[in-house]
Amino acid sequence: MRLLHIGKEGARALSAYKLRTFFMMAGTIIGIAALTVIMAVGKGTEKKVMKRVNAFGTHAIMVTAGGGKGFSPPQEGITTLRTEDVEAIKTQIRGIDVVAPFAIKRGMSVKAGANQVQTTVMAVGPEWHDAWEWYAADGEPISSEDVAAMSRACLLGTLTAKDLFGDQNPVGEYVQIGNVRFKVEGILQTRGTSPMGDEFDRRIVIPLTTGLRRLFNQDHITNIRVKVANSDQIEAIAGEIRQLLHERHHITVPKEDDFAIFSAADIAEMARGISGTLTYLLGALAGLSLLVGGIVLMNILLISVGERVKEIGLRRALGATRRDVFMQFLTESLAVTISGMVLGSVLGWAVSIVLARVTQFPVVVSWESFALALGFAMVVGVFFGVQPARRAARLNPVEALR
C-alpha cells in the first residue's frame, strides 16, 4: 500500500506538469524508437541474408575468374579459367557430387517480336541444373545432346519470359540473342534474388558450347560451380581446389590468385559484416539519444526538486521518511522513461512498417526489441533518477518549510 501511495503521488506530480514531463520523455522516445527500427532492420537483414544463402546453396562452392581475395563477382574479360581446370577438379578432388562450368555475359540484347530487353545470358552444361538444383518448370532442360550439337536452344527465366512474351507461353517460340536466333525450349523455375542482389529470374540459359563458340566467341569460362556431398567438408574441399588451381596456374607467393573461391558461408559473412557496421553506427546514435535523454531527464528533475522544496518539506513534516521521498522521485523518473519506452516502441514499430512498405527494405519486428527497450528504459530511469531523488531525500524539512 505504501508503494502504491508513492506511485500515485509521483503520477500526480508528473500530470501536473505535462509539458515538462513530455520534454523529459522526448530523448527516451527518440532513442527507443531508433533502437526498435535498428533491431527490426537487423532482423530483417539477417532473414534476407539467410534466404539468399539458401538460394545460393549450402553445399556449393563457386570459383570465379579474376584475382583478389574473398568474394568477387564474375569478371567477363578475364580468361584464367579453362575447361581443363574443370576436368582437373572432377578427377583430382574427392567428395564432390557435381562440377558445373558456365560462362556469363551481362547486358546482352534479346528480342522477341517487337519486345526487346537487356539481360544476362548464361552458357551452361547439363550438369548446371543439378549443381544449382534449378530445373525447368515448363519444357525441357539443357541436355548433353544440346551441348554436343551446339544447338540454339534456350531456357528463359520467369521475369525475362514475362518481359518478352507477357502472359503468353513462350515454349516453342523464338528469341534473338545478339545476332543468333534461339528456340525457347523451356522456362526455369522461379528462383528469386542472387546473393549480390541480382534477379536470378531475369536471365537466359543456353548450351555451353553454343555460348562459347557461336555467341560469346571465346574459349574460356567465367565460373565453376562445385556441389559437395557433405557441407561440413566445404572449407577443406575449397582449400584443395585452391591448391590445385595454384599448381595448374603456376601461382606462388607473393603472386596474387587469378581466381576467387567462395561459399555460402563467405556470402553470409560479407553481408553480415556490412549490415553489422550499419547496425553499430545506428546503435551508437540510438545510445547517444538515450544518453542525452537521460541527462535532460536528470536536469529537469533537479529543477523540479528545487521548485517543489515546500512540498517535500510538508511531506516530511507529515511523516514521510527520506526513503519515501527518494522512492517518489525515483518512481517519477522510471515512470517517465517507461512511458517514453512505450511511446518510442510504438513509434519505432510504425516507422519500421512504413520503411518496409516504402523502400521494400527487409524489416522484422520481434519481441526482443521490446524487451531490450524496457531494459534500457529502466537503466536510464534508475541511473539518471538517483541523483535528483537523493537530493530531494536529503532536504532538511525545517529548512524546506521556511
Side-chain angles (χ1 to χ4, degrees), residues 99-354:
V99 180
F102 59 97
I104 292 179
K105 285 287 184 180
R106 289 180 169 80
M108 292 206 70
S109 175
V110 183
K111 297 179 182 178
N115 296 324
Q116 180 174 351
V117 297
Q118 302 288 322
T119 192
T120 298
V121 178
M122 300 179 68
V124 309
E127 61 280 338
W128 179 87
H129 295 285
D130 289 330
W132 281 94
E133 297 181 3
W134 192 3
Y135 304 99
D138 187 16
E140 299 297 325
I142 299 297
S143 66
S144 54
E145 290 78 12
D146 291 326
V147 174
M150 284 194 296
S151 70
R152 288 177 288 182
C154 71
L155 279 76
L156 306 182
T158 52
L159 293 179
T160 301
K162 188 171 184 179
D163 292 339
L164 292 173
F165 294 96
D167 295 329
Q168 176 188 351
N169 186 351
V171 177
E173 301 295 332
Y174 289 85
V175 297
Q176 183 170 318
I177 306 174
N179 297 319
V180 183
R181 195 164 180 254
F182 287 80
K183 183 179 180 180
V184 179
E185 295 288 352
I187 304 294
L188 290 167
Q189 296 170 334
T190 300
R191 188 74 175 194
T193 308
S194 76
M196 292 303 294
D198 299 328
E199 287 285 358
F200 266 131
D201 301 316
R202 190 163 270 120
R203 58 188 61 195
I204 297 178
V205 172
I206 62 176
L208 181 62
T209 51
T210 309
L212 295 181
R213 299 176 190 175
R214 288 187 173 180
L215 196 61
F216 304 160
N217 192 28
Q218 65 186 47
D219 59 359
H220 61 275
I221 55 178
T222 56
N223 302 76
I224 305 171
R225 182 175 171 89
V226 178
K227 185 178 178 183
V228 303
N230 186 347
S231 60
D232 294 335
Q233 297 180 340
I234 280 184
E235 289 189 15
I237 292 175
E240 292 179 24
I241 293 173
R242 180 175 284 105
Q243 183 61 38
L244 176 62
L245 293 179
H246 280 170
E247 294 173 2
R248 291 187 54 79
H249 297 185
H250 308 292
I251 297 172
T252 57
V253 179
K255 192 175 179 182
E256 192 175 72
D257 292 352
D258 59 7
F259 60 90
I261 299 178
F262 61 93
S263 64
D266 298 319
I267 296 170
E269 183 179 354
M270 178 192 68
R272 285 181 181 134
I274 295 171
S275 65
T277 301
L278 180 61
T279 299
Y280 288 138
L281 176 62
L282 295 176
L285 293 175
L288 182 62
S289 297
L290 288 171
L291 177 63
V292 171
I295 294 172
V296 170
L297 169 69
M298 181 177 68
N299 281 282
I300 293 178
L301 280 176
L302 287 171
I303 294 171
S304 177
V305 170
E307 292 178 346
R308 294 162 61 187
V309 168
K310 288 187 177 180
E311 174 195 332
I312 296 168
L314 183 59
R315 289 202 64 208
R316 291 294 309 279
L318 293 175
T321 64
R322 284 188 173 184
R323 183 175 181 277
D324 292 337
V325 175
F326 178 87
M327 289 302 297
Q328 179 182 337
F329 278 85
L330 189 62
T331 300
E332 290 179 20
S333 177
L334 282 170
V336 167
T337 55
I338 291 174
S339 298
M341 179 276 294
V342 173
L343 293 175
S345 296
V346 171
L347 178 61
W349 176 80
V351 170
S352 299
I353 298 300
V354 171

Side-chain angles (χ1 to χ4, degrees), residues 58-95:
T58 56
H59 286 67
I61 298 169
M62 188 75 79
V63 184
T64 65
K69 297 180 179 180
F71 174 77
S72 61
Q75 300 180 30
E76 295 175 6
I78 307 299
T79 64
T80 52
L81 286 182
R82 302 280 175 166
T83 53
E84 293 82 5
D85 294 323
V86 178
E87 293 303 318
I89 293 172
K90 284 181 180 179
T91 57
Q92 298 183 40
I93 306 295
R94 294 182 178 180

